[in-house]
C-alpha cells in the first residue's frame, strides 16, 4: 500500500492510493461538497463520480509511478 496522493483539476480534488497494484479512491471533493467512502472503491468504479479528464490524469500518474519502480 502506498501513501495517499492528491490530484486536482477544475475544483475537483481526489485523494487516492495504490493498494496491491489497484488504484483506490479514498476521498472526492467537488465544489458542492465532499464524498468519503467507507470502503475505498477502485478508480474504475469512480468513472461516473469524477470528471473524465481527472480520471485520466490519475491513471496517468499511477502509470508513471509504476515506471519509476
Amino acid at each position: 500500500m502506498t501513501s495517499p496522493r492528491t490530484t486536482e483539476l477544475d475544483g475537483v480534488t481526489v485523494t487516492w492510493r495504490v493498494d496491491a497494484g489497484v488504484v483506490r479512491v479514498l476521498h472526492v471533493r467537488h465544489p458542492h461538497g465532499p464524498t468519503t467512502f467507507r470502503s475505498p472503491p477502485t478508480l474504475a468504479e469512480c468513472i461516473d463520480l469524477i470528471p473524465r479528464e481527472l480520471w485520466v490524469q490519475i491513471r496517468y500518474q499511477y502509470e508513471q509511478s509504476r515506471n519509476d519502480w
Side-chain angles (χ1 to χ4, degrees), residues 6-45:
T6 300
T7 305
E8 180 180 0
L9 181 69
D10 296 332
V12 179
T13 304
V14 176
T15 303
W16 56 280
R17 71 170 188 247
V18 178
D19 187 10
V22 177
V23 177
R24 298 278 178 187
V25 175
L26 306 174
H27 184 83
V28 178
R29 180 175 297 278
H30 289 272
H32 59 272
T35 302
T36 303
F37 306 100
R38 178 173 274 168
S39 177
T42 66
L43 182 61
E45 293 171 318

Side-chain angles (χ1 to χ4, degrees), residues 31-66:
H32 59 272
T35 302
T36 303
F37 306 100
R38 178 173 274 168
S39 177
T42 66
L43 182 61
E45 293 171 318
C46 294
I47 192 80
D48 294 331
L49 296 176
I50 60 177
R52 178 68 176 182
E53 298 83 14
L54 181 56
W55 191 95
V56 169
Q57 185 176 348
I58 293 168
R59 181 72 185 173
Y60 176 78
Q61 289 173 347
Y62 165 67
E63 290 295 332
Q64 290 301 307
S65 69
R66 283 184 48 194

